[in-house]
Amino acid sequence: MFSLTHFIVLLFCTLGSVVLAFDGDLTYYQPGLGSCGETSSDSDRVVALAPGQFESTPDACGKMIQITKGDLNATAKVVDKCPVCTLGSIDVSSTVFQEIAPLSAGRVQITWEYM
């Protein structure tokens, strides 16, 4: 079944110039060899997208995103797919997470968009 969210993501990717923000959870993980075939470390500014967004975004690998929580912002490069993330949620290296919240928070609500 093709959900409305998948349609919106596909429409965004098709139009390109439309800015679409996503809401979800921000968590962190230990990067390694990602779905894009690139090996990353925890000091890299990287992100793993939810499967639906990773698979429905043409050329997702290498795209940059901006993450926002209140007045705090961080950027990261798409290098992986987060198999347990729900649509809108993302997993980032601890380097990126710490720009938004302390690691002890573990999970915070954010908004993000493609740059």
Side-chain angles (χ1 to χ4, degrees):
M1 181 173 191
F2 202 71
S3 72
L4 177 59
T5 305
H6 285 119
F7 173 75
I8 291 170
V9 170
L10 184 59
L11 180 62
F12 163 74
C13 294
T14 303
L15 295 177
S17 62
V18 176
V19 175
L20 183 63
F22 301 95
D23 295 315
D25 291 338
L26 177 71
T27 53
Y28 64 94
Y29 75 116
Q30 181 63 49
L33 178 59
S35 298
C36 296
E38 182 177 320
T39 300
S40 303
S41 72
D42 204 42
S43 62
D44 293 322
R45 306 181 57 70
V46 295
V47 60
L49 300 180
Q53 287 169 306
F54 184 87
E55 293 160 6
S56 65
T57 303
D59 302 319
C61 295
K63 286 192 183 292
M64 296 297 294
I65 69 165
Q66 180 169 324
I67 305 157
T68 304
K69 178 172 178 52
D71 293 338
L72 302 173
N73 293 295
T75 59
K77 181 172 83 168
V78 176
V79 297
D80 207 354
K81 178 175 22 176
C82 173
V84 298
C85 290
T86 58
L87 212 56
S89 294
I90 55 176
D91 217 1
V92 296
S93 63
S94 65
T95 297
V96 175
F97 191 91
Q98 291 178 91
E99 292 184 22
I100 300 295
L103 293 180
S104 61
R107 177 182 305 269
V108 294
Q109 290 289 304
I110 49 88
T111 300
W112 67 271
E113 63 189 21
Y114 291 103
M115 297 177 67

